[in-house]
Structure formats: structure tokens, C-alpha cells
Amino acid sequence: MGFFDNLLLQLDEDITGLFGQWNVYTSLIVTLFVGLLTYQIFTRRDPDTHPLLLARQAQASPVRNEGESPVYRSQSAPHGMPLNTGLNVKDLGASKWARGRDGDLRDIWRQAIAGVQDEGPAKGKTGRILTVLGTEHVTDHALDDITRQINLIGQHISDQGGNRVVIYLPNSVELIATLFACAFYNMTAIILPFDQPDDAVISMLRRSAADTVVTAPGSFPFDIVVKNYPSLRQLVWVVDEGSKHMDWNEVPQGTGGSVNVSTWQDIITDSPVDAGKVLPPLEGQKEPRDVTIFWQSKPGTVEEMVRFTAANLVSAIASQIFTLPTAQRMGPEDLFLPADSLANTHTLVLTLAALYSNASVAFNSVAPKANDLAVATRGIAPTILVTTPEALLKTHRETSSALTSVIARNLHWLQTRDLTQYGVMPAASLVTGWYDRLRPAITAKPGKLRLIFAAERVGAGTPRLSSTTISDLRIYTGARIMYALTSAKVAGAAAQTGFYDYRVFNDECSHFGPPLTSTEIMLRDTAEHKTTDALSKGEIIVRGPCVAGDEVALGVVGVMRDDNTLAYV
Amino acid sequence: MDYVEQRMAQEAAKPAGGASDSLFTPLNLALLGLFLYTTYTLLLKPSPPAALPKEEPAIVFRTFTPRTLLPYNGENNMPVYLAVRGRVFDVTRGRNFYGPGGPYANFAGRDASRGLACGSFDEEMLTKDLDGPLDTLADLGRDEMEALQGWEDRFSEKYLVVGKLLPVGEEDKA
């Protein structure tokens, strides 16, 4: 026998010898191994978005000025192209291929009552408008009724000579209706943050030079205002069901003789049934008026008065619609709940975006004050929610303190791994079913909460959310979370984290994602923080069509991280 | 076939139950090792989020004078810049044309306005006096100005504006 024959014989004997050791444990190990591979193959999911899309989220301009960082823009609004200026409203009969108008607030309500325009199964569907009262009672408002209210209230206020209309109301249908009434009947709307001390209300009335107030009894200090603010001409009470029978039109003796007082309900019910059913026509309508908003920073400081043009607002609304991936845009299936004050432009802009997208919108007047997700969503099951970082932190605290057992912590670890390692939202499965009962009690049937918006307000002392907290909340709520950076002079948000960005970093305050399609961001050198070739940092400057006055310095120092997302230093 | 039969007989002759019942046979250890390693790489090993290489740092927009623009002619590994009506373009990507040895090499590092307007690439189109005022192009006709506009539009489309050109002594004026 030759050398090779010997070698082969040896090999044969060795292999036989090795597998001759096969025993019950071997079978066990092999079974486990095959099981593991099968499990991996069958449970494997593609990440929600390509990981490299998250690795560089904004475009830097190739040239920068001395003392400034490059200008950063969203990947969807490249340099050299105009930023997103409006809603691209296509009028009836206009060419299909022509560019639409930027539009204004009036187009939002027209779209809300017209229903979905795109071809498809949802064509013609409209959203619903709901009011949540207490814990159970939900009122459904017919869109035609709201259109009628918009017309009658707008007509009434403008007939009485109203021009600058202060809206001092909690989140409610009446707030939105008055805003649209102002838009349709050529008046300037001024939205005041609700539930302010008397002197703050008077100071805001003075600064805004208002002549009309739409408000609710009980929260508006009528006597004091009449004494201290003689320019007030007109007052409309929005009276709730319970106190409708009282005579609100009567002005108390000796006060405010010159003020014309009426109630919302009287204006509506005293008009003929057929009046106000049709909105003013599109043809020949006047230029849209501005909307003034008061930005509240810390309590005790003077509110900043900001005038947004209609163009500012529609640009912000369009960019918020655009920032969601096409398959995940808001639509008639969604129920949108603003659980933060509509006096914040971020909330207002998102609510208007939801109306424009024909999503259903629910109003809950106590939600913003509660700062608690469970309270805000009582009686209603939203699929999209705007809330405050405070409320999210509270939910996080409560839920994580319930998650103490070993099993719960391991499941939590598994789901975090899904998010951060694989880039997928954890799927519901048998294993996670056990975990479900620990979830916070938000969103009863039938809605499935899918998206939460929250915003950091520059200079307002909002608690900051770390990326770990946000990731935990994604697991607790089963919804995606978008965290935005907002400021007084920027309608909507300056920057907002991506829909599919689940990454976790070691940070105190999460990054704010890339600029939206309606903003560009630049960092200007300060004494301490300067941009170098290696790192962009400095005071955050925001420019774009959604910024009041086109450019604003936020007064805080930011840094562009390696993935071109904006963060605080 | 003989060999197979012979081996079969050999194995058959071995006493039954000769295999060890222990968990720690070499085969089990090897398979267990493989199993654990696969588990680790598939399930436990953390991977950092994907990252792209860092971007090229942005070019800082600056003010040139004819003299400071001069070195940017593509020689000695310098980028190729040229100026048109006060705007300095980075034409390094068109190095074959504007760089050393290219047909437009005369323009590199210089004010190319007059040459582009007149469609001439000769030396005498350039402003001789580097410390003097910039060429005002006042003596050019409409056709030439139109040609220049065409070039400028093309440049703005293709190349980056990286600075502005001011005559010596006026650099501080914004």
C-alpha cells in the first residue's frame, strides 16, 4: 500500500472514531443547533430602513463662511433646490402636471371637508372631528356643522367690526373653528396660551392690540379686562352644555358698556338653518392674514409674541407631512390627538397637518394640563399623539418601576436589541404577550398607537429626553417616537428625529435629527464654541420659509454629530 | 468494494455500547463550542450603529486678491481656482481643462472674465498688474457680455463658488 492509501485509511478510521462517539448528548446539541438556525431564519426581519440612511441624515453645504459651520439641509431638500414652501394645492380643473399653490389655512379646511383626493380605495374619505368630555363621553361633530360654525362666527365677528381676534380657549373644536373663521373672513387670529394669570392675559391683549376675544367663561377675567383694556370691542363666550341656559349676553352693571357680548351658541342657533353652509369662494379671496402666537418660556417671564405669516405656517405643515415616509403618512384611518396645548406651534402645525391629511382629530381640553399619557388618552384611542416630554418622562418612570422582575427585564433587553441592533420595531409575539400587561394604560381599543410626537422647547426648561429613555418608551408604547427641537420664531419644528431612527447613544439629551424640509440649519461661532474642519458647533441658526423673519438665532449652542444630526452641546 | 466490506466487518466486530455516554467527548465538545459561538455571534454580540466615513470638511469661503489667487493654479498639488467677475470658482474637477497643460491653463489662478468674454485663451487677456484695480470689462460689447454670462451660468451650475476676488487694498471691504 502506498503512502496515500495509508493516509486515507487513517482518515477513515479517525472520522469513524469521532462519530462513533455519538451519543444522546450529541443528538441534543445538534437538535438545539438546528433549532437555533431555524429560529434565526424564520424570525429574521429586514431593518425598517437602510442603516446607512441613518448614518448621514443631513447634507452639509460644500462651502462655508468663516466663523460659521456649513449649512445643513434635509436629504430630501438638497442644496440648490428651494426649501419646501407649501402644500402644493391643486385647484379643481388645474393641469395635473402643473405645480400647485402653496396654499394657506383656508385650503386646509377645504381639504379636510373635501376628503382624500388621490385615486384609490380611500378616495373621498374624510376624517372625523371628536371632542372628549370627561372619561367616557365622546362627541362626534359633523364636518358640515363645523363649516357652518366657521362661516357664522366669522361673519358675526367681522360684521361687528372685529379685526384682531384673540382666541383664549383650551384645546377644542371652537379654537380650531375660530382660527379658520379668521382665515376665511380676513381677520388676524391671535392664539393665547390658555389658563394664564389675569395680568398676563391683559398684557398679552395689550401687546397684540386685540379688539375681539373668543373665550370660555370662568377662565377669562372679564371685569378686570374691561377696566384695564378699554380697546376691547367684542366678546364671544363659548359656553358649555351645562350652563347654556344662563343669560351670558347680559353685561354686568357698570362694567364694559361698550363691549358687545354674545355667545357662540346663540350666534349659531339664532341664524337661519340654511345660513353659512357654504365657505367663501376660492376665486377673488383676499391675501391671507397673519397668525400671532405667544410663546411661553419659563413661568414668570414675559411671553414672546411672534407673528407668523400664512406662508410660514403652510411651509411648516407641508414639511411635517413630508417628513413621514410615504407608507406611513397620516390618513383617514388615523385618529390624531393633540395632548399638548394648541398654542404651541409644533402642536398646532401637526394638528393642521392631520386635518389636511384627512385624519380624524380628537380634542381633549384637559389633556395638555394633565401631562400624563393615561389621562390624556382616557376615553379615546388615538393612533397618533402629540405630547410633552414631561408626560413621556412620567410614563417612563411609572412603567420602568413596574418592570422589576427578571423575566420582564430580559424581555425588555430582547426588545431593545430588536430596535437598536436590528433596526426593527419589536413585533408582538407569544413571549411579549406576557410583557403587555406591564405596558402603560394608554390607548384602549380599537386604535393602535403608532406614532408619538414630542418637542424640546428652546429656553422653556422642558425636561430633556435621552435616547435610552426614548428607546424604552418605544417598547413600552409600541409606537415610534419623533423628538423635535422647537423655538418661538420657527413654526413647527427646526429639526426632528427620523421616523425610523431607533439608535441609542450614551447621552443625556437625545439628538434632534436632521433639519426638516422647510428649514436649514447653520451653527455660528461663539466665544467658546467654534466650528473647525473636524467638528461643526456653535449657536444654532435656523433659516427657511417656516421661520418668522426668515432667519433666527435660537440662543443655544448646538453641535452637528458625525451622522449629521443636531444635538445640544 | 473489498475495502468497504473489510471495514464493515471491522466495525461490526467492535463490542456494542463501546461509545462513551459522557457529555464531554471530543465530538460533543466541538459541537457545543460551535453552538455557543453561533449563539454569541447571532444573538449577543453587540454591533455599533452603521457609520459612514467622515465627510470632506467644507471649504471656507474667503476673499482673494489677484496676488493671493495666483498660487491656486493646480501646480504643486494646489486646487485650481479661477475668477469670473469677482467670483472665485473651484474648477479642480475640470483640471484637464483648467489645470497645468490644459487648453485653458492660462486662466488658472487668474481673473478669467475678459478671456471668457472674448473667447480667447491668450496671455494678453489677463490683467497684468496684480496689484492694480480689477478689470471692469467696460470696453466690451453686448455679444461679449452675453458670452461671459453664458460661461458664468455654466460655472455656477458645475462648480462651487469658494470666494470672491477683490483688488489689493480693498480686502477688508465686505
Side-chain angles (χ1 to χ4, degrees):
Chain A
M1 286 204 287
F3 171 72
F4 281 104
D5 285 350
N6 269 332
L7 193 71
L8 283 174
L9 180 63
Q10 185 64 44
L11 199 64
D12 187 358
E13 276 177 348
D14 283 350
I15 290 174
T16 322
L18 185 63
F19 283 98
Q21 296 164 10
W22 192 288
N23 59 20
V24 60
Y25 295 111
T26 326
S27 304
L28 192 71
I29 296 168
V30 169
T31 315
L32 281 177
F33 190 51
V34 171
L36 172 74
L37 292 180
T38 325
Y39 174 79
Q40 271 303 306
I41 290 165
F42 280 93
T43 56
R44 199 191 149 70
R45 288 193 292 156
D46 281 337
D48 289 347
T49 188
H50 196 287
L52 287 183
L53 289 179
L54 300 175
R56 186 166 302 153
Q57 303 194 17
Q59 257 187 8
S61 64
V63 180
R64 66 181 177 96
N65 286 324
E66 189 70 51
E68 293 174 354
S69 77
V71 177
Y72 291 88
R73 279 197 178 198
S74 154
Q75 297 280 19
S76 318
H79 293 277
M81 303 276 283
L83 289 165
N84 204 344
T85 53
L87 297 166
N88 197 14
V89 184
K90 303 267 169 75
D91 291 326
L92 219 62
S95 155
K96 203 175 166 191
W97 312 111
R99 200 171 172 279
R101 291 180 297 119
D102 282 347
D104 55 68
L105 293 185
R106 294 169 285 201
D107 295 294
I108 291 169
W109 187 251
R110 285 197 185 107
Q111 170 67 34
I113 53 178
V116 178
Q117 296 299 304
D118 299 331
E119 293 300 328
K123 188 174 164 76
K125 265 195 186 162
T126 55
R128 298 190 302 159
I129 306 242
L130 309 166
T131 303
V132 186
L133 300 163
T135 54
E136 300 271 287
H137 193 68
V138 178
T139 323
D140 193 341
H141 303 268
L143 294 184
D144 290 342
D145 283 352
I146 300 176
T147 302
R148 189 161 173 268
Q149 293 182 20
I150 291 172
N151 280 323
L152 294 175
I153 295 292
Q155 196 68 56
H156 175 88
I157 296 178
S158 90
D159 284 351
Q160 305 287 326
N163 185 33
R164 301 180 60 79
V165 181
V166 157
I167 308 173
Y168 184 63
L169 288 171
N171 284 5
S172 57
V173 180
E174 285 81 11
L175 190 157
I176 285 288
T178 317
L179 182 65
F180 285 123
C182 290
F184 278 108
Y185 289 86
N186 263 321
M187 297 174 286
T188 303
I190 299 151
I191 303 181
L192 261 48
F194 192 63
D195 238 358
Q196 298 301 306
D198 296 352
D199 48 343
V201 172
I202 291 164
S203 126
M204 285 190 279
L205 285 175
R206 281 211 184 103
R207 286 163 62 202
S208 60
D211 49 38
T212 305
V213 174
V214 179
T215 185
S219 44
F220 183 74
F222 184 46
D223 297 350
I224 307 172
V225 169
V226 168
K227 260 188 221 120
N228 290 285
Y229 185 66
S231 318
L232 187 68
R233 290 277 154 273
Q234 200 181 160
L235 182 83
V236 178
W237 291 120
V238 178
V239 186
D240 59 24
E241 287 293 312
S243 45
K244 226 157 67 174
H245 59 278
M246 290 169 69
D247 185 8
W248 291 96
N249 298 342
E250 192 180 312
V251 178
Q253 283 290 316
T255 56
S258 62
V259 183
N260 180 339
V261 180
S262 45
T263 71
W264 184 283
Q265 281 71 11
D266 286 351
I267 297 170
I268 306 301
T269 47
D270 292 353
S271 303
V273 185
D274 289 336
K277 285 200 161 160
V278 185
L279 289 172
L282 180 64
E283 290 79 26
Q285 66 180 9
K286 294 218 175 91
E287 279 296 297
R289 300 281 286 266
D290 296 345
V291 174
T292 301
I293 285 176
F294 283 86
W295 168 272
Q296 255 188 321
S297 37
K298 295 195 179 77
T301 52
V302 178
E303 299 82 1
E304 189 174 348
M305 186 171 91
V306 189
R307 268 175 64 165
F308 289 107
T309 62
N312 291 150
L313 290 174
V314 286
S315 149
I317 293 163
S319 70
Q320 283 293 0
I321 294 173
F322 204 67
T323 187
L324 298 178
T326 321
Q328 303 282 354
R329 300 247 160 101
M330 295 188 253
E333 305 300 315
D334 281 313
L335 176 54
F336 179 96
L337 176 77
D340 185 13
S341 165
L342 286 170
N344 290 345
T345 55
H346 184 240
T347 320
L348 182 67
V349 158
L350 284 166
T351 308
L352 294 171
L355 284 171
Y356 190 73
S357 312
N358 295 111
S360 298
V361 178
F363 295 99
N364 185 343
S365 59
V366 298
K369 274 277 151 194
N371 263 338
D372 184 324
L373 288 190
V375 172
T377 57
R378 213 171 269 164
I380 193 110
T383 60
I384 301 175
L385 187 67
V386 188
T387 184
T388 54
E390 285 94 332
L392 286 180
L393 272 181
K394 183 160 185 264
T395 307
H396 183 257
R397 227 177 8 250
E398 284 166 2
T399 315
S400 57
S401 63
L403 280 178
T404 43
S405 76
V406 179
I407 305 177
R409 271 187 285 136
N410 278 299
L411 282 175
H412 185 74
W413 173 83
L414 265 175
Q415 304 205 356
T416 306
R417 203 198 49 179
D418 273 356
L419 278 169
T420 58
Q421 296 289 309
Y422 304 145
V424 290
M425 283 300 285
S429 72
L430 262 184
V431 197
T432 56
W434 186 84
Y435 184 96
D436 283 343
R437 65 189 177 84
L438 296 170
R439 290 184 202 279
I442 38 178
T443 73
K445 287 182 295 184
K448 166 89 182 67
L449 186 65
R450 67 179 187 99
L451 180 58
I452 298 176
F453 291 96
E456 154 76 7
R457 292 157 56 85
V458 169
T462 3
R464 297 174 180 185
L465 300 175
S466 73
S467 54
T468 320
T469 310
I470 297 180
S471 176
D472 287 350
L473 283 163
R474 280 192 192 100
I475 296 165
Y476 298 158
T477 59
R480 295 184 170 88
I481 297 176
M482 293 171 90
Y483 188 40
L485 180 71
T486 60
S487 159
K489 289 217 159 96
V490 185
Q496 186 161 280
T497 56
F499 188 80
Y500 291 129
D501 190 353
Y502 316 133
R503 299 167 306 158
V504 169
F505 300 94
N506 189 12
D507 51 19
E508 291 284 303
C509 176
S510 160
H511 66 86
F512 301 109
L516 288 165
T517 51
S518 58
T519 54
E520 57 182 26
I521 288 177
M522 186 259 288
L523 305 169
R524 189 173 284 155
D525 285 3
T526 64
E528 241 174 290
H529 302 279
K530 297 199 190 314
T531 293
T532 62
D533 277 354
L535 186 68
S536 296
K537 65 176 172 176
E539 186 185 7
I540 303 173
I541 314 281
V542 185
R543 287 195 292 239
C546 70
V547 180
D550 290 333
E551 180 176 314
V552 62
L554 299 197
V556 282
V557 176
V559 59
M560 269 294 166
R561 300 164 359 120
D562 285 343
D563 55 2
N564 282 357
T565 55
L566 182 69
Y568 281 154
V569 163
Chain B
M1 272 335 258
D2 279 353
Y3 173 74
V4 176
E5 271 169 30
Q6 187 195 339
R7 290 282 294 136
M8 295 276 285
Q10 253 178 35
E11 293 300 318
K14 279 188 186 166
S20 160
D21 279 338
S22 159
L23 173 62
F24 301 105
T25 62
L27 175 68
N28 283 359
L29 288 180
L31 285 174
L32 204 60
L34 188 67
F35 175 68
L36 290 178
Y37 177 74
T38 320
T39 315
Y40 174 71
T41 45
L42 282 182
L43 299 181
L44 302 177
K45 196 172 158 194
S47 61
L52 285 169
K54 244 189 118 52
E55 284 175 297
E56 286 278 302
I59 304 169
V60 179
F61 188 92
R62 50 177 281 207
T63 308
F64 293 93
T65 64
R67 204 164 273 289
T68 53
L69 187 60
L70 211 49
Y72 294 87
N73 58 2
E75 278 163 24
N76 310 323
N77 272 334
M78 291 292 276
V80 190
Y81 290 176
L82 58 76
V84 182
R85 278 201 274 193
R87 289 203 287 171
V88 178
F89 290 91
D90 178 357
V91 293
T92 316
R93 280 191 298 146
R95 187 180 272 273
N96 287 344
F97 287 96
Y98 306 99
Y104 303 74
N106 279 341
F107 291 160
R110 302 297 291 268
D111 181 359
S113 316
R114 180 171 289 267
L116 292 172
C118 301
S120 158
F121 315 124
D122 301 334
E123 282 272 12
E124 54 262 32
M125 286 293 157
L126 304 172
T127 313
K128 289 251 158 43
D129 181 9
L130 292 181
D131 298 317
L134 296 183
D135 193 344
T136 54
L137 310 174
D139 56 322
L140 295 181
R142 232 185 57 188
D143 288 353
E144 277 122 2
M145 290 315 269
E146 251 169 45
L148 181 59
Q149 190 59 50
W151 276 99
E152 216 177 323
D153 292 347
R154 249 193 64 182
F155 277 159
S156 328
E157 236 167 63
K158 260 179 103 167
Y159 301 115
L160 293 174
V161 179
V162 295
K164 58 185 171 185
L165 186 69
L166 289 174
V168 175
E170 288 184 22
E171 300 95 315
D172 302 335
K173 294 183 186 163

